């Protein structure tokens, strides 16, 4: 029998290591698979191995017993760092490693750590490092990325009822964000419109600041909303441009929140306008109504997984190209007009309040 179809019996597994993916939005899309693993192995201890960007997503999460953070730019840099990390993992005596990324390094560390059962996708020179191999030929085409993660574990018998992209914040985190907003004049009953103009992967995914401004002005006037700008440390310039154009009639928190604070902030929003990005997936997981603007990326596999989300895009010949930077005229984003985004946002909000 091929390793790829050997089922893993839950009674044989006591300690599980899940190697997380490396980007915020991707981590959110793995949550249904993590929930499935939690239910299939109810007595097992589950640890998440993640980088510093992603590890806060799993803090205080009911499906996770421990978060182990690795730093490939510090203590775990290079091959010697991978050996060090493997030694640290070896002390936990894991029975099973579920390796969600596709890279060679992500499979090498569990192998070096001597974890006896190692499950993941084949390819990228890592096939021999796995004991349970999900062939690329088995990957379903044209489905959401979260369903691909589910397909990987399902091949080995790891299934359960439908799981959502469950995200959690603590009461203290919610209270801290509420207090921070209150200091800036945003009260608990105010309608908060989140504007997320950045996208970490590259400028090809980013809509234009002046168009975000037009949308923010129109929707804030329609809804009596308070505008809050979100984003990471690398997106402060874009956020500052929007803040300037809005003449300060907004709260700019881009680059001024930790990941946990960002979760609580997005959860507090009543509506969200965003590029295809990590915060888009956070908003979707919290059920925040949103309009997502897509251009260079494939909306059919990474759309916001939510019943209260609308994708706005224009069909152009060169999209999706999946490139970080546009080599031509950025027509995929230039074609998306503010009027379209405003119309879709108003339409969605009307449906939700009816």
């Amino acid at each position: 029998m091929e390793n790829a179809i050997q089922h893993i019996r839950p009674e044989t597994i006591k300690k599980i290591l899940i190697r997380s993916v490396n980007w915020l939005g991707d981590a959110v899309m793995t949550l249904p698979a993590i929930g499935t693993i939690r239910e299939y192995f109810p007595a097992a201890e589950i640890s998440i191995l993640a980088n510093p960007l992603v590890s806060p997503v799993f803090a205080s999460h009911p499906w996770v017993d421990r978060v182990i953070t690795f730093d490939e730019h510090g203590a775990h840099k290079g091959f010697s760092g991978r050996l060090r990390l493997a030694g640290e993992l070896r002390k936990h005596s894991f029975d099973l490693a579920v390796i969600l990324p596709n890279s060679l390094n992500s499979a090498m560390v569990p192998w070096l750590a001597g974890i006896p059962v190692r499950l993941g996708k084949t390819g990228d020179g890592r096939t021999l490092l796995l004991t349970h191999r999900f062939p690329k030929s088995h990957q379903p085409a044209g489905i959401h990325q979260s369903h691909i993660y589910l397909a990987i574990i399902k091949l080995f018998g790891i299934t359960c009822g439908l799981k959502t992209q469950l995200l959690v914040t603590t009461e203290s985190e919610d209270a801290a964000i509420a207090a921070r907003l209150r200091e800036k004049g945003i009260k608990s009953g105010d309608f908060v419109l989140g504007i997320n103009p950045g996208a970490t992967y590259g400028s090809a995914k980013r809509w234009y600041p002046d168009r975000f401004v037009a949308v923010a002005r129109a929707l804030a006037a329609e809804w009596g909303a308070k505008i809050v700008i979100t984003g990471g440390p690398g997106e402060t310039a874009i956020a500052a441009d929007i803040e300037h154009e809005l003449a300060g009639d907004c709260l700019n928190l881009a680059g001024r929140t930790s990941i946990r604070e960002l979760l609580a902030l997005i959860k507090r929003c009543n509506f969200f306008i965003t590029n295809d990005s990590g915060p888009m997936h956070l908003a979707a997981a919290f059920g925040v109504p949103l309009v997502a603007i897509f251009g260079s990326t494939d909306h059919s596999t990474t759309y916001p997984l939510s019943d209260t989300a609308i994708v706005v895009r224009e069909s152009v010949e060169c999209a999706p190209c999946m490139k970080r930077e546009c080599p031509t005229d950025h027509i995929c984003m230039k074609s998306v007009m503010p009027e379209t985004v405003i119309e879709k946002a108003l339409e969605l909000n009307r449906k939700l309040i009816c």
Side-chain angles (χ1 to χ4, degrees), residues 14 51 71 94 184 191 226 232 287 301 315 353:
K14 303 302 180 187
N51 65 25
D71 184 3
F94 291 111
K184 300 298 182 179
F191 191 109
K226 300 293 180 70
T301 59
S315 296
I353 62 179

Side-chain angles (χ1 to χ4, degrees), residues 118-307:
R118 301 177 302 278
L119 181 164
K121 273 189 184 182
T122 60
D124 299 299
R126 65 195 225 141
T127 300
L128 294 178
L129 302 177
L130 304 171
T131 62
H132 288 63
R133 302 163 187 138
F134 182 89
K136 287 186 175 180
S137 61
H138 281 55
Q139 179 170 314
I143 66 170
H144 197 271
Q145 183 63 47
S146 66
H147 298 146
I148 293 175
Y149 294 125
L150 286 167
I152 292 172
I153 60 175
K154 182 180 180 180
L155 187 63
F156 309 105
I158 303 173
T159 61
C160 72
L162 181 65
K163 291 295 179 183
T164 63
Q165 293 182 152
L166 176 66
L167 276 181
V168 297
T169 56
T170 65
E171 288 185 7
S172 61
E173 289 169 339
D174 294 339
I177 280 296
R180 192 167 175 180
L181 295 180
R182 193 162 53 247
E183 289 173 1
K184 300 298 182 179
I186 300 175
K187 302 183 293 296
S188 60
D190 288 338
F191 191 109
V192 175
L193 172 63
I195 299 293
N196 185 69
T200 303
Y201 184 75
S203 64
K205 294 174 68 173
R206 294 174 184 161
W207 204 38
Y208 300 100
D210 62 309
R211 300 188 185 191
F212 275 109
V213 168
V215 171
R217 280 179 176 154
L219 295 180
E222 180 72 23
W223 296 332
K226 300 293 180 70
I227 301 168
V228 175
I229 306 172
T230 66
E235 298 155 357
T236 55
I238 302 169
D241 288 343
I242 294 173
E243 181 182 16
H244 175 74
E245 290 300 317
L246 290 172
D249 191 18
C250 62
L251 175 58
N252 180 7
L253 292 179
R256 299 169 186 170
T257 57
S258 67
I259 295 297
R260 294 299 303 176
E261 289 169 337
L262 179 63
L263 263 67
L265 175 61
I266 291 176
K267 180 183 176 183
R268 169 62 183 86
C269 291
N270 299 94
F271 208 97
F272 207 60
I273 306 292
T274 178
N275 294 319
D276 173 21
S277 61
M280 176 194 77
H281 290 289
L282 296 178
F286 282 124
V288 176
L290 68 93
V291 172
I293 301 148
F294 274 71
S296 63
T297 47
D298 187 357
H299 72 289
S300 68
T301 59
T302 60
Y303 59 86
L305 198 62
S306 168
D307 293 333

Side-chain angles (χ1 to χ4, degrees), residues 17 19 49 76 78-87 89-90 97-115 118-121 123-131:
L17 178 72
R19 169 58 159 89
L49 178 64
H76 306 119
F79 186 70
S80 62
R82 288 193 284 276
L83 286 174
R84 182 177 297 109
L85 178 57
L89 296 178
R90 189 180 291 272
V98 178
I99 304 159
L100 297 176
N102 299 328
S103 66
L104 175 62
N105 286 339
S106 62
M108 182 181 295
V109 170
W111 176 75
L112 289 171
I115 300 175
R118 301 177 302 278
L119 181 164
K121 273 189 184 182
D124 299 299
R126 65 195 225 141
T127 300
L128 294 178
L129 302 177
L130 304 171
T131 62

